[in-house]
Amino acid sequence: MSNNSKLDRVIARFQKRIEERNYYEAHQTLRTIANRYVNSKSYDDAIQLIMHGSQSFLTAKQGGEGTDLIFYLLEIYDMANIEVSDSSVAKLIQLLVLIDPMEPNLKDVVTGMNNWSIKFGECKFGDPHLHNAIAIKLLDAGFVYEAERYLMLGTSESLTKYIDLLWNWFLDTVTDENVSTLVGDFISRLIFNYLFIVNIDFTIKARDQFISKFVAKFPQFDYEMISKGEDIFKMWYLKNLPELNFLQLLILVCQTKDKTLFLNLKEHYSNYAGKYQSQLDFIGQEYFNIIPPRQSNFLQDMMTGLLGGK
């Protein structure tokens, strides 16, 4: 119940129509009343009414009406200049959890939610907690590629889910014959994605968690832990897996911002520098101010994907 008795009566009438399965009338009536609140700039009442309505429709498995109200809620967030906060994000997550994974509007809903969090929050790519909830919902719906973006930009929980996702994908793909070549393809996906958004902390955690899983599962690959300066310099040195050594050294070099070390690393591991040329072009630009012949557009592509572009 709210502190507004008139609003409580509106919600009660609406809920009765829902219980009677008169969904169309309930939807039209709620939107009409919500419009009145918006026109009078009573945004808090409008948000409370829309929240209740969307929750009721989604619970009743009326995804079309429920998601329509989510879009309207996001319009109100925009009109009212609602900033990203624990409260405003929590409202969206509450609704997101209720959406059926097979709902046709799901992708548009999560794009709209993230666009709002980019516009009204402090994080360049949107709110990490919202990203985590979006990723979980997209994974439930089978949209693995779309979920990966949000996992990468999410919280520590997202990091663990992202590592587990790629690790299980790796196990489903690997054979005894290709394990030494395939592992680099998977761990490089983690390392480059986190380096692209300059999240060194998550890059290191992703490296450690993935490699620890790898050496436990495949003990035939001997390793030596190299650590100096209170773990500032740390890597899992694998004698028979130079690609993994290259990727780990790249993390260390990016932390130094030393252009000469970066160029020397590329020269020493020229075969892997060639394999990852486009990724290294972007790394060179982002960390060492080396302008490649053709601009890499990893961040632009990411933003386009997050904002719902093609």
Side-chain angles (χ1 to χ4, degrees), residues 143-174:
F143 299 126
V144 177
Y145 175 75
E146 291 84 351
E148 183 180 13
R149 296 172 181 158
Y150 292 100
L151 287 173
M152 177 179 61
L153 296 165
T155 61
S156 295
E157 180 184 352
S158 309
L159 170 66
T160 300
K161 290 181 182 296
Y162 189 20
I163 294 167
D164 288 343
L165 176 69
L166 288 184
W167 175 250
N168 291 327
W169 184 10
F170 170 66
L171 292 182
D172 289 341
T173 309
V174 72

Side-chain angles (χ1 to χ4, degrees), residues 6-73:
K6 184 177 180 180
L7 177 61
D8 289 338
R9 290 194 295 272
V10 170
I11 290 175
R13 291 198 302 273
F14 166 80
Q15 193 60 40
K16 183 177 180 181
R17 290 187 175 94
I18 290 291
E19 292 169 358
E20 294 170 348
R21 299 185 179 182
N22 194 345
Y23 300 123
Y24 178 79
E25 182 181 349
H27 181 254
Q28 294 302 309
T29 300
L30 186 143
R31 284 207 60 135
T32 298
I33 297 173
N35 283 339
R36 295 174 188 165
Y37 284 129
V38 170
N39 291 334
S40 64
K41 298 189 185 314
S42 300
Y43 296 123
D44 289 343
D45 288 341
I47 288 171
Q48 184 172 345
L49 179 59
I50 293 295
M51 275 288 299
H52 180 88
S54 183
Q55 286 174 317
S56 296
F57 278 124
L58 293 173
T59 301
K61 305 301 181 185
Q62 302 302 305
E65 289 84 356
T67 54
D68 175 75
L69 292 179
I70 293 176
F71 292 130
Y72 190 26
L73 176 65

Side-chain angles (χ1 to χ4, degrees), residues 111-129:
T111 297
M113 288 181 174
N114 195 61
N115 287 353
W116 162 77
S117 76
I118 291 172
K119 182 175 181 180
F120 291 99
E122 297 180 354
C123 298
K124 180 177 182 179
F125 297 111
D127 183 72
H129 296 283

